[in-house]
Amino acid sequence: MEPKGKQRRRVHDEALKTLSAEDLSKFVSERSKADIERNPNLQAIRVYLMDGSYKAFKIDPAEVTVEELWEVASNKLMLTPSSCQSFFIWGLRDNFELLLYPHQRVDSIFKDWELFEQRYNNARPSGGKNIGSTLARSMSSLARTPSIREEPAETETKLVFRKTAIVPLSEEMRYQDSGAVHLFYIEAVRNVLASNYPCEVETAIQLGGIQLQLTVGDKNNDIHKPGYLKGTVTNYIPNYLFSRMKAEEWEHLLFEQHSKCKGKNPYNLEVGLECLAHS
C-alpha cells in the first residue's frame, strides 16, 4: 500500500496539473507569501550581471551559502551543469572585488566586507608594495561596468555573477547554451569598453554595430537618425578611441554597421561579437 504522505503528495501534484496558467501563477504567489510568513527572515537578494541588470532571489541570507545562491542563480540564468562551472559570484564594493568562497553565508558578505578589504586589500609584504590594492585594481579592471560601479551608493556591497577567470575563447566556444553565450557576450562588451580587449577603429565599429542591433533591434530610419546616440556613443565605443573622431562621425559609422546586422539571429550575433572581441 502507498504511504499516506506519498499519496497526499501525488494527489497534490496531479491537482496542480489541472490548474490554468493564471490559477497556477496565483497559487505560486500565495505559496510564496505563505513561505515568507513562516520565515520572516527571507529577503530579496540581488545578484548583478555585468551589464548592470540583476536577478533577485528570496532567501534567508543567514542560512544560504554562496554556493547555494550560485546554484539557484545558475538555474535562473538557464546555464547547463557544465557551463555554469565557468561562472561564480563575486563581491564588489569601493572598486574592490573578491571571488567569494562557496561555504560563506550570504549575510556574512554584507556584514564582514570591511574585514575582507582589510585582509585582502591592505596586506603589505616586506618590500612595502600593497599587493592587495594592486590586485584589486587589476581585478576591478576586468569588470568596469558603469551601471554597477558608478551608481550613487558606491559604498553598498554588491554580489556580481561573472566569469571566475579569464576563459580562453576556445573554452567559451564549447558552450552553446543561450544562457552561457549571453553571459560571455555581456562580459566581452564590458571588457572591450574598459580597454581590457584593445581593438582598432574598424573592429570597434563592428562590435558597436552588433551591440546596437542587440540593444535596439533592427535599424529604423525614422527613429535611429542623427542625434539618436547623443551622449551615449561611449556605450558602444571605447574611451581610448572616442577622441579620434567627433561623436557625430562615430554615430554615422555605427549606424552603417547597425544596418548590416538587420534581421540577423541574436544568438549568432552574440557569438560573433564574442569571437571578434577576442580576435
Side-chain angles (χ1 to χ4, degrees):
M1 178 179 289
E2 187 177 34
K4 289 185 177 180
K6 189 174 181 180
Q7 185 181 31
R8 283 196 298 270
R9 179 65 185 174
R10 179 176 55 78
V11 172
H12 173 269
D13 290 343
E14 289 176 355
L16 286 182
K17 293 178 183 178
T18 65
L19 295 177
S20 65
E22 182 179 354
D23 289 339
L24 182 59
S25 176
K26 187 183 298 184
F27 170 80
V28 172
S29 176
E30 290 174 353
R31 188 174 65 176
S32 178
K33 291 178 182 178
D35 288 341
I36 293 174
E37 290 174 359
R38 284 197 297 269
N39 185 354
N41 296 321
L42 289 181
Q43 299 178 32
I45 300 296
R46 292 182 177 183
V47 176
Y48 286 83
L49 304 183
M50 291 295 288
D51 60 356
S53 63
Y54 64 85
K55 303 292 182 182
F57 303 93
K58 287 182 178 178
I59 63 170
D60 182 346
E63 296 294 331
V64 175
T65 65
V66 173
E67 183 173 32
E68 290 168 336
L69 180 58
W70 164 75
E71 290 173 350
V72 174
S74 295
N75 184 58
K76 182 76 172 180
L77 294 166
M78 298 184 293
L79 298 175
T80 66
S82 178
S83 66
C84 70
Q85 301 301 317
S86 293
F87 304 90
F88 204 66
I89 296 175
W90 296 63
L92 171 66
R93 177 176 164 183
D94 294 333
N95 297 331
F96 175 65
E97 278 186 304
L98 189 66
L99 181 59
L100 302 176
Y101 288 106
H103 66 271
Q104 288 176 292
R105 301 290 176 184
V106 172
D107 68 337
S108 73
I109 310 304
F110 302 100
K111 291 179 180 178
D112 302 331
W113 187 259
E114 290 184 2
L115 294 177
F116 297 148
E117 284 204 57
Q118 291 172 12
R119 181 181 301 172
Y120 301 115
N121 199 26
N122 296 318
R124 294 180 182 272
S126 57
K129 186 175 181 181
N130 191 326
I131 287 181
S133 295
T134 303
L135 177 62
R137 288 194 295 271
S138 175
M139 291 169 64
S140 64
S141 71
L142 292 176
R144 293 176 185 170
T145 311
S147 48
I148 292 178
R149 293 180 55 206
E150 295 175 11
E151 289 183 349
E154 292 183 353
T155 58
E156 183 180 326
T157 303
K158 289 182 170 62
L159 304 179
V160 183
F161 194 98
R162 51 161 292 192
K163 290 191 295 187
T164 56
I166 297 176
V167 180
L169 179 62
S170 58
E171 182 71 14
E172 291 186 13
M173 290 296 102
R174 287 181 51 223
Y175 306 116
Q176 299 182 359
D177 53 294
S178 60
V181 167
H182 182 66
L183 291 177
F184 285 135
Y185 155 73
I186 60 178
E187 192 149 350
V189 167
R190 290 304 166 186
N191 278 321
V192 169
L193 295 178
S195 308
N196 296 315
Y197 293 170
C199 61
E200 297 302 323
V201 169
E202 183 179 351
T203 302
I205 293 169
Q206 288 180 280
L207 293 169
I210 293 173
Q211 187 190 346
L212 195 53
Q213 172 71 19
L214 289 166
T215 303
V216 304
D218 289 342
K219 187 173 186 299
N220 183 329
N221 292 331
D222 293 331
I223 299 174
H224 308 125
K225 51 190 177 183
Y228 178 79
L229 295 179
K230 184 177 181 179
T232 63
V233 173
T234 51
N235 289 345
Y236 303 92
I237 298 296
N239 281 326
Y240 69 93
L241 291 177
F242 181 71
S243 60
R244 297 191 186 185
M245 298 184 213
K246 294 180 179 179
E248 296 80 7
E249 295 175 301
W250 281 117
E251 183 181 55
H252 175 72
L253 293 171
L254 285 170
F255 279 153
E256 282 188 342
Q257 187 63 38
H258 183 195
S259 297
K260 297 177 182 178
C261 298
K262 184 175 181 178
K264 292 189 177 179
N265 182 283
Y267 175 91
N268 293 336
L269 286 175
E270 289 187 342
V271 173
L273 184 143
E274 201 179 325
C275 293
L276 195 58
H278 281 272
S279 63

